[in-house]
Amino acid sequence: AALGEGAAQLLREDPWQLLRVPGVRPEQADGFARALLGGEAGPGDERRGRALTVWLLEQAAPAGHTALEMAALTEALGRQGVPAPEDAVRDAITEGDVLVFQDAVGEPVGEDEEQPVRVLVGLERCALAEESLADGLARLVNSAPKQDGAAEEWERAAAAAEGSAADLIRAVSGHGLVLHTGGEAALAEPAALLDAAHGMGLRAWAAAHTPVGRERFAARVEGPGVATVAGLLSGAEGPGRDAEGALDVDLLVVLDAPQLDVETAALLTESLPDGARLVLSGDPAVLWSVGPGRVFADLLAARACPQVASRRPDPGPLGELVSGIGVGELLQVEAPEKEVVIVPVRDAGEAVHRTVQLVADSVPRALGVPAEETQVITPGHGGAVGTRVLNAALKERLNPGPGRFAGFDPGDRVAWSPAPGRTLPGRVVGADAEGLRLDCAGETVVVPRDRVEQTVRHGWALTAHQAVGSRWPAAVVVLPGDAVPALSRPWIYTAFSRADRHLSVVHGVDQALQRAVAEVPAKPRTTRLPVLLAPQLPGAAD
């Protein structure tokens, strides 16, 4: 199905096209090619080099890269045993499998010197999305917003707001694109903006990353107008489209902006009508999108539009702890009401035992937070203390059952992934001939039987990437000894900031936690958005 019609003929002609199937690795494709072609298959086959070039770029996209530098790509091909990596990339470019870019870097050394360039190779879909996004953002920045509220009305709304909420309203009044940064408490500011816009009669909407985020933000605003990004784009939620196909809005506030990959961000900007205002709001310290690009970070660095940094810190010991992590400091905070508890463990078995004990017994008994409102967060799915092991242990304790439907029972907490990079927490309510029935933030979802294994996992334990965009009254963050390579400041910041009232840290990494906070920033991503924006936005920084 992934290869489309004529798959059998395609594979007979070029068996390495098997790499186009999600989840297939080079060694599997090599084995298939040897079985099909015998002695004709080998590492020097030019078809293999071309297919691996595309495969490496496809693998780079979920890691955040919209393109790869030529040197990095050829080095990776060499590690895959391609004998002439440069030739393989040239073949892929010639055949149209990938695109090549020469982006200017810095300034010419002298009048007679050529402009330094950086040679990048990328997938067509990423390139088109990034170019479309740059065009759409430039359209918003360079065009005056609609005069849909008198200047006096905007100023009255700003005067009635507090602190940086007033700054945000004033910035939005005269600009088509505004960036807003801050933590959970700072959401009060886009909420004030949305209320002010509704008061002026504007068609104003906000969009969050997850249904949980949508419901939390909706509780902050006085009227309707809050959707999820996916629901807004699909038409399942939101204001609908006008006669020209644009979103029927004057103002769109996108929350959780660091989660926007270039393809989603491009769809959003393409969907806005001329004269509309766009506000991208989010916490720049959290993990970036599971998908190509670092849209919010690139825009913050470009300084091509107004930026409003919230002066509203998250409160209490949890807010103090998370704020310190954001600047590279792991603080020991006073927690008189047990807002933060450290639980040291010696090995993986003890980590699993203590995690189950915390969720099922200690947190409910000491703090009154029931198990269904406590979320476990761990660095990965595999390993001795990954989500698979923890979910099995938590199910056995909290909702034992035979798992009659693909391993699930009514009452199980689950994580449903309808698309790559999107995870919706939910609960199993039943199953029938149509599929597995879930309740996700009050919405009924039916997952077809043939999609359950690929898209549904148990959800008592999630990774930090899966938890982004949601918060719970209590969180238990598990850091086993084998988690050290996965730890970074953004990961720890994201995991710790998922808790509203209480955070337990099952701690088995000794000093590695402090080192990660102080010394391990976000992994770099190769993107082209700054280069694409620069000629269209004169004020953009290099």
Side-chain angles (χ1 to χ4, degrees):
L3 293 171
E5 294 184 12
Q9 181 63 29
L10 176 66
L11 289 175
R12 279 194 294 269
E13 295 173 355
D14 184 357
W16 283 285
Q17 289 300 311
L18 192 65
L19 286 170
R20 288 168 50 188
V21 178
V24 173
R25 299 194 58 79
E27 56 270 21
Q28 295 170 312
D30 287 349
F32 176 75
R34 284 193 297 271
L36 186 67
L37 302 177
E40 299 176 36
D45 192 313
E46 66 178 30
R47 296 170 300 178
R48 180 177 184 271
R50 280 174 47 201
L52 281 170
T53 299
V54 176
W55 183 81
L56 286 166
L57 291 170
E58 289 285 3
Q59 300 306 301
H65 304 285
T66 61
L68 290 177
E69 294 198 29
M70 178 69 82
L73 181 57
T74 55
E75 181 182 347
L77 285 167
R79 290 197 296 270
Q80 292 294 335
V82 176
E86 295 83 359
D87 292 342
V89 177
R90 279 194 291 269
D91 289 342
I93 294 168
T94 301
E95 295 297 325
D97 297 334
V98 299
L99 301 178
V100 63
F101 312 98
Q102 295 188 7
D103 292 341
V105 178
E107 299 294 333
V109 178
E111 292 184 3
D112 298 329
E113 298 291 334
E114 291 187 2
Q115 175 79 42
V117 297
R118 181 174 66 155
V119 180
L120 300 172
V121 181
L123 300 170
E124 182 178 32
R125 64 179 176 86
C126 293
L128 292 178
E130 208 158 20
E131 289 169 4
S132 174
L133 175 58
D135 292 343
L137 293 169
R139 175 171 62 91
L140 292 171
V141 171
N142 293 327
S143 61
K146 288 170 60 177
Q147 297 305 309
D148 41 23
E152 294 79 7
E153 289 184 279
W154 284 98
E155 184 52 40
R156 279 197 297 271
E162 298 178 356
S164 37
D167 299 338
L168 179 61
I169 293 171
R170 289 190 178 98
V172 171
S173 69
H175 296 86
L177 177 64
V178 175
L179 308 181
H180 171 259
T181 59
E184 180 73 10
L187 287 175
E189 294 157 13
L193 169 64
L194 207 64
D195 287 340
H198 285 151
M200 288 184 280
L202 274 67
R203 300 167 299 170
W205 278 79
H209 184 58
T210 65
V212 174
R214 176 193 61 200
E215 298 309 312
R216 290 175 66 89
F217 188 73
R220 294 176 176 267
V221 298
E222 295 179 1
V226 187
T228 62
V229 171
L232 189 73
L233 290 173
S234 70
E237 305 173 54
R241 305 269 176 163
D242 62 20
E244 296 182 355
L247 289 171
D248 199 12
V249 295
D250 302 308
L251 167 66
L252 177 62
V253 179
V254 179
L255 309 169
D256 309 309
Q259 302 315 303
L260 288 176
D261 59 60
V262 292
E263 293 171 299
T264 304
L267 289 173
L268 280 171
T269 54
E270 290 169 0
S271 299
L272 289 174
D274 290 339
R277 297 170 170 88
L278 174 63
V279 176
L280 299 180
S281 175
D283 189 338
V286 300
L287 289 164
W288 294 333
S289 64
V290 180
R294 33 165 270 165
V295 175
F296 196 49
D298 280 344
L299 283 172
L300 287 169
R303 300 192 175 278
C305 64
Q307 300 183 18
V308 178
S310 175
R311 299 187 295 277
R312 193 185 302 253
D314 288 346
L318 276 169
E320 182 183 357
L321 175 65
V322 170
S323 295
I325 293 170
V327 295
E329 298 180 13
L330 187 62
L331 305 174
Q332 291 193 2
V333 298
E334 296 291 332
E337 302 298 325
K338 297 184 178 178
E339 294 92 343
V340 181
V341 173
I342 307 299
V343 181
V345 294
R346 294 182 298 273
D347 54 41
E350 186 180 7
V352 174
H353 173 74
R354 295 304 300 271
T355 298
V356 174
Q357 184 181 54
L358 284 164
V359 174
D361 180 40
S362 303
V363 172
R365 177 169 43 81
L367 300 164
V369 179
E372 58 266 25
E373 295 181 5
T374 300
Q375 183 61 55
V376 176
I377 301 173
T378 195
H381 296 301
V385 197
T387 62
R388 296 186 186 94
V389 171
L390 287 170
N391 277 317
L394 287 160
K395 175 174 172 55
E396 183 179 356
R397 176 69 182 273
L398 297 171
N399 195 45
R404 289 195 179 96
F405 194 97
F408 298 98
D409 295 295
D412 280 357
R413 282 175 67 172
V414 295
W416 175 51
S417 299
R422 285 185 61 212
T423 299
L424 305 181
R427 187 173 298 276
V428 176
V429 295
D432 53 32
E434 293 184 12
L436 190 67
R437 295 188 175 273
L438 312 178
D439 181 332
C440 296
E443 297 180 4
T444 300
V445 173
V446 179
V447 183
R449 299 175 72 94
D450 61 351
R451 295 288 298 155
V452 171
E453 185 177 352
Q454 292 82 16
T455 62
V456 183
R457 296 174 179 264
H458 283 107
W460 285 280
L462 303 174
T463 66
H465 270 112
Q466 291 177 312
V468 169
S470 299
R471 286 169 71 104
W472 294 266
V476 176
V477 177
V478 186
L479 303 175
D482 62 0
V484 173
L487 296 183
S488 66
R489 185 185 309 152
W491 193 96
I492 297 162
Y493 183 97
T494 302
F496 284 19
S497 62
R498 298 309 93 194
D500 268 337
R501 291 172 45 196
H502 170 79
L503 170 69
S504 284
V505 181
V506 178
H507 193 336
V509 293
D510 297 325
Q511 297 303 309
L513 178 61
Q514 187 165 352
R515 286 197 300 271
V517 169
E519 302 172 10
V520 186
K523 291 182 179 179
R525 296 185 172 193
T526 304
T527 66
R528 299 185 63 240
L529 185 59
V531 170
L532 294 169
L533 282 173
Q536 302 190 69
L537 303 177
D542 291 334

